[in-house]
Amino acid sequence: MARKISFDLPTTVEQTPQEAPPVSPVNRVRPLLGLDRPIKQSSALGAISQSLGGISEKVKRAEEIEQKLIEGQVIVELDPALIDNSFIPDRMEATEQQNAAFRELIRDHGQNVPILVRPKPSDTERYEVAFGHRRLRAARDLGIKVRAVVRSLTDEQLVIAQGQENSGRTDLTFIERARFAARLEDRKFSREIIMASLNVDKAALSRLISIATRVPAAVIEAIGPAPAFGRVRWQELTDLLEHENNRARAIDLVKDPSFRALDTDKRFETLAAGLREKTSRARAETWAAKDGTHAAKVSRAGKKLTLTFDDRVAPKFGDFVRKRLQTLYDEFKAGDPPA
């Protein structure tokens, strides 16, 4: 039978010579992002932003985040059955081998770092995890209690804590970050909150959301986290999907049983290679003038039509057309274009 655990969290942090003084909730500039627009943060989350600026190593950054969030708080043992995952998933499903390896690590060495949970807003009998999902899974699988710190967090504070802790780790892949950003936006979180959560600027956030929304969700799920591939390769795949019929072709390819049997990185490479091969097969059609001159080539890829002029065949014809583009566009807008 599930046992409810209740306790009082201290409202102040006892200061030691090694600890910084407590920070009061104020409007604070985010040094993480190099932005001067303030956002309201709780004292713990404000301390995170202040402390991360000078930390370069990703693992140290994640440890610093966790330390600030649990500093001075009571660590308790909770039944994993009372804890739900975050309402915004970030990681994709790990392989059974990865889960088994992490589970054995916890079994052999114990859980050294507690997870962070909040009382679940919709159910006071339960908790919701902010970070520590893998530790929680391992405890569930092992049938043991999980060491945790309980804090009252708003939705915004939870996703900032969750995102910044995971951003400090080296194993959160590009597409997991992109999907997390898109899901936060779907939940109507402001761009400021999402930037703070992922520790990125506006341009980087736009790229993340663009890729996560332009690649079909079924394709992302089928490929998986693909840790070997970053923004450049995902952007290439996104562009390939824009070509004619490639989206439908991609969805068919990922449903193939042989595709599913591959590991996640191989699935990405196989899909990209398949779409790239199909796209490269498109051949430009030569346009010939009435006098027989092959004056231009026309190629179409999806919604893009390209005209190519060869000065060796029709010198200066391309420049002539370019100078008349406004006239041609005006004629196009004035009436129905020719079929």
Side-chain angles (χ1 to χ4, degrees):
M1 185 174 182
R3 178 168 62 91
K4 181 180 179 182
I5 302 176
S6 60
F7 51 89
D8 293 328
L9 289 178
T11 56
T12 59
V13 178
E14 216 174 81
Q15 186 175 347
T16 67
Q18 291 78 28
E19 294 174 342
V23 183
S24 60
V26 293
N27 284 336
R28 172 180 313 283
V29 173
R30 294 195 306 277
L32 280 175
L33 309 178
L35 301 176
D36 57 5
R37 291 179 63 191
I39 97 174
K40 277 197 172 183
Q41 296 178 323
S42 70
S43 58
L45 294 175
I48 295 171
S49 294
Q50 291 286 56
S51 64
L52 287 180
I55 300 174
S56 59
E57 298 90 347
K58 286 187 175 182
V59 174
K60 286 184 179 180
R61 187 190 320 177
E63 290 173 350
E64 179 74 7
I65 292 167
E66 291 185 344
Q67 179 184 351
K68 289 295 182 183
L69 281 166
I70 66 176
E71 193 172 70
Q73 304 299 321
V74 177
I75 300 174
V76 297
E77 291 187 341
L78 298 177
D79 183 349
L82 296 175
I83 306 174
D84 296 323
N85 293 335
S86 169
F87 68 99
I88 300 283
D90 46 22
R91 296 181 186 274
M92 293 184 178
E93 193 66 27
T95 66
E96 180 50 41
Q97 292 84 352
Q98 290 170 326
N99 288 334
F102 193 77
R103 187 165 57 243
E104 289 307 307
L105 186 67
I106 296 293
R107 188 200 305 274
D108 294 342
H109 301 285
Q111 181 194 342
N112 296 321
V113 180
I115 69 174
L116 177 68
V117 300
R118 70 170 178 177
K120 193 166 184 177
S122 60
D123 186 349
T124 56
E125 299 290 326
R126 302 188 62 78
Y127 302 93
E128 183 175 16
V129 64
F131 62 69
H133 287 81
R134 291 190 300 169
R135 281 163 273 175
L136 177 60
R137 177 195 291 275
R140 287 170 178 162
D141 293 345
L142 293 170
I144 61 175
K145 292 188 175 182
V146 64
R147 300 175 67 238
V149 165
V150 181
R151 290 184 63 90
S152 294
L153 300 172
T154 65
D155 287 350
E156 289 79 6
Q157 290 169 339
L158 184 141
V159 298
I160 289 174
Q162 178 181 350
Q164 288 193 347
E165 195 273 345
N166 279 332
S167 292
R169 298 294 178 185
T170 58
D171 56 351
L172 199 66
T173 69
F174 172 83
I175 196 60
E176 287 176 318
R177 287 166 56 82
R179 193 179 65 156
F180 183 57
R183 285 177 168 173
L184 290 176
E185 186 165 73
D186 285 344
R187 290 274 191 154
K188 308 303 181 186
F189 285 97
S190 70
R191 286 278 174 120
E192 268 196 343
I193 291 294
I194 305 174
M195 287 189 293
S197 173
L198 289 169
N199 188 20
V200 295
D201 60 20
K202 289 183 179 180
L205 179 60
S206 294
R207 289 192 292 267
L208 287 168
I209 293 176
S210 173
I211 289 175
T213 53
R214 289 168 63 195
V215 179
V219 172
I220 293 176
E221 289 292 340
I223 291 174
F229 301 102
R231 181 186 66 82
V232 173
R233 293 300 305 276
W234 275 98
Q235 183 64 62
E236 177 194 359
L237 181 64
T238 304
D239 293 340
L240 285 170
L241 287 166
E242 298 296 326
H243 289 276
E244 187 174 9
N245 296 326
N246 268 0
R247 292 173 72 88
R249 178 176 170 77
I251 292 173
D252 287 340
L253 284 172
V254 302
K255 291 179 181 177
D256 191 299
S258 62
F259 181 88
R260 297 178 182 177
L262 302 172
D263 67 55
T264 177
D265 288 330
K266 191 63 177 177
R267 289 197 294 268
F268 180 99
E269 189 56 63
T270 298
L271 179 61
L275 298 180
R276 196 182 302 116
E277 179 184 3
K278 179 179 182 295
T279 302
S280 66
R281 289 176 183 168
R283 294 288 184 265
E285 297 179 2
T286 299
W287 178 81
K290 290 181 180 180
D291 64 3
T293 303
H294 293 173
K297 288 185 177 180
V298 184
S299 60
R300 179 180 288 280
K303 297 182 178 181
K304 295 181 181 179
L305 185 142
T306 304
L307 282 174
T308 304
F309 302 92
D310 189 339
D311 283 342
R312 293 170 301 178
V313 177
K316 299 184 179 180
F317 179 52
D319 289 330
F320 174 80
V321 173
R322 178 173 60 84
K323 291 176 181 178
R324 289 181 56 83
L325 283 176
Q326 184 61 52
T327 301
L328 293 171
Y329 183 74
D330 291 341
E331 292 177 7
F332 169 80
K333 296 294 287 184
D336 292 333

